[in-house]
Amino acid sequence: MDHNHPFEADWSLETLAIRAGHRRTAEQEHGEPIFPTSSFVYGSAAEAARKFGGEEPGNVYSRFTNPTVRTFEERLAAMEGGERCVATASGMAAILSTALALLKAGDEIVASRSLFGSTVSLFDKYLGKFGITTRYVELADLDAWEAAITPATKLLFAETPSNPLSELVDIAALAEIAHRHGALLAIDNCFLTPALQKPLALGADLVIHSATKYLDGQGRAIGGAVVGRNQELEELFGVVRTCGPCMSPFNAWIFTKGLETLGLRMRAHCDQAQALAQWLEAHPAVTRVYYSGLESHPQHDLASRQQQGYGAVLGVEVKGGREGAWSVIDATRLLSITGNLGDVKTTITHPATTTHGRLSDAQREAAGISQGLIRIAVGLESLEDLKADLARGLDALS
């Protein structure tokens, strides 16, 4: 085997996560290097002309060609089973770049109502300003997806599981609908990552990531990525090259190192979340727990077929509406009150006034975001310590 080969086709995800994408330099380094450089030097004017003109492969400018970013892109593409990955400055930049690359004025998107609030704002406020219309449907209702499609529909977009209610859609069935109508299907996979779900293998055309979440895993950096076929990704690469929503080399290095432990972390997150969800479901102050790992979840069977785990984000409905939810959040001393997720540190937030706070009351109601809902992204601290921290506020409500 060539020890400098970026990856082997038969490697498992765990091996790809550690080995794929790294091309050793002449220094023969063992760890992946960081290339914090804006530009690259050529031996002659003719070489520069060839590389700028695309006649010869090589680095040109770190807005769109950087060895550290390329390592991350190749590793994530290998893990997702895609032909290519394009890294971006954030998860939202990944979604924006996808739209700019693949849509034009007059085109339409059909999307789930259960989307991250900023994604809804992007689709409605900004893409809408340029003549791209978005229709929203219930995530699980395949008939509603089909009915919303028109000849102008070019993209179907879904998060599965959804944030924060763990709703699902049958990816394979939705891909069949999209393709029958000549549209592409994009799946936001940041809640499960390729360690737990492979949308491309189920028929999706594009996988979207906020690398900020579990791909990093420790809340250190902002970044995004899109994975898919070279045909669509070449258009996305053009957007990043021209418009500049690029990932920094340092952040790419952080994400590359985060990928090394992704499989281990996701299994541990799932184990913690399952146990905490079962404990919360039995608590008298909790009216409902939204987590696809629970048998009470209406789509538990679909989750078990489609996913290799249930993730670590819990939606927890408590008594007392917003006042009750806020009292539980404020009683915590260990959990971090923050809107981020995907961290080894457990985080807690009130979606109706934070992550989904910019939505209208009608949009929040349609997405199922009630005032009594708390989102807990379960980290890797002691399970007993997490229970004790939440019990302080929950016991006072019951």
Side-chain angles (χ1 to χ4, degrees):
M1 186 188 81
D2 177 2
H3 287 278
N4 198 32
H5 196 278
F7 66 89
E8 300 288 337
D10 60 350
W11 282 351
S12 67
L13 180 132
E14 288 79 8
T15 304
L16 292 170
I18 294 170
R19 296 286 184 174
H22 178 200
R23 293 181 175 89
R24 291 196 184 104
T25 72
E27 300 296 337
Q28 289 295 293
E29 72 283 345
H30 190 222
E32 299 83 354
I34 308 174
F35 288 88
T37 180
S38 56
S39 65
F40 301 86
V41 176
Y42 311 103
S44 67
E47 182 191 352
R50 292 193 301 272
K51 289 184 176 174
F52 268 78
E55 299 168 24
E56 181 179 311
N59 300 308
V60 176
Y61 190 60
S62 278
R63 174 163 26 88
F64 57 98
T65 51
N66 180 275
T68 314
V69 177
R70 184 193 64 218
T71 297
F72 167 69
E73 290 173 333
E74 291 189 358
R75 186 167 295 184
L76 183 59
M79 293 170 70
E80 284 283 8
E83 291 179 0
R84 186 173 178 182
C85 170
V86 171
T88 61
S90 67
M92 292 310 304
I95 300 171
L96 173 63
S97 298
T98 300
L100 290 175
L102 304 177
L103 302 173
K104 63 183 186 304
D107 288 346
E108 296 178 356
I109 302 169
V110 179
S112 161
R113 283 199 183 92
S114 307
L115 289 182
F116 178 47
S118 292
T119 306
V120 175
S121 297
L122 170 64
F123 287 173
D124 290 349
K125 183 175 181 180
Y126 295 104
L127 297 186
K129 185 163 63 172
F130 294 99
I132 296 169
T133 301
T134 304
R135 293 187 174 85
Y136 296 95
V137 298
E138 294 298 327
L139 176 60
D141 189 343
L142 294 172
D143 291 336
W145 284 95
E146 181 121 36
I149 294 172
T150 76
T153 302
K154 297 296 187 289
L155 181 68
L156 274 57
F157 189 97
E159 297 175 17
T160 181
S162 70
N163 176 17
L165 300 182
S166 288
E167 296 171 293
L168 311 175
V169 70
D170 185 326
I171 295 173
L174 189 58
E176 190 277 326
I177 291 171
H179 299 156
R180 183 154 33 85
H181 289 277
L184 297 172
L185 173 61
I187 296 293
D188 185 322
N189 199 31
C190 80
F191 268 38
L192 293 183
T193 79
L196 302 179
Q197 180 171 264
K198 297 283 191 64
L200 298 178
L202 295 169
D205 302 287
L206 299 162
V207 171
I208 310 284
H209 277 287
S210 170
T212 313
K213 311 301 191 293
Y214 292 103
L215 300 189
D216 172 17
Q218 295 184 53
R220 297 169 293 190
I222 301 290
V226 186
V227 184
R229 292 181 296 264
N230 190 66
Q231 179 181 344
E232 287 80 25
L233 270 292
E234 180 64 23
E235 294 297 319
L236 262 144
F237 174 71
V239 170
V240 172
R241 175 175 185 154
T242 303
C243 303
C246 55
M247 180 180 286
S248 80
F250 184 74
N251 286 9
W253 181 79
I254 287 175
F255 298 136
T256 299
K257 302 311 286 183
L259 290 176
E260 293 181 347
T261 58
L262 182 64
L264 291 169
R265 286 188 287 105
M266 294 311 293
R267 286 194 291 275
H269 278 295
C270 289
D271 290 346
Q272 291 265 93
Q274 184 74 36
L276 192 63
Q278 291 169 344
W279 177 80
L280 286 164
E281 194 171 44
H283 197 285
V286 174
T287 58
R288 185 170 178 184
V289 178
Y290 299 88
Y291 182 64
S292 64
L294 295 172
E295 292 187 7
S296 59
H297 192 284
Q299 296 172 294
H300 176 70
D301 289 344
L302 172 61
S304 299
R305 293 196 310 271
Q306 182 166 276
Q307 304 168 186
Q308 290 74 56
Y310 305 106
V313 179
L314 312 180
V316 183
E317 191 89 36
V318 300
K319 294 178 179 178
R322 187 172 85 168
E323 184 179 346
W326 281 19
S327 69
V328 172
I329 292 170
D330 290 348
T332 61
R333 298 173 190 167
L334 170 63
L335 277 64
S336 303
I337 305 173
T338 180
N340 195 36
L341 58 92
D343 201 312
V344 293
K345 300 181 178 74
T346 299
T347 67
I348 188 167
T349 193
H350 184 246
T353 52
T354 59
T355 57
H356 294 69
R358 296 173 69 89
L359 301 183
S360 67
D361 290 342
Q363 287 173 318
R364 275 196 298 273
E365 184 178 352
I369 308 299
S370 72
Q371 292 294 330
L373 182 72
I374 295 168
R375 188 189 74 190
I376 301 171
V378 185
L380 302 183
E381 305 95 339
S382 157
L383 180 62
E384 294 309 311
D385 289 343
L386 296 178
K387 289 178 181 178
D389 206 43
L390 288 164
R392 191 178 301 107
L394 290 171
D395 291 349
L397 278 184
S398 56

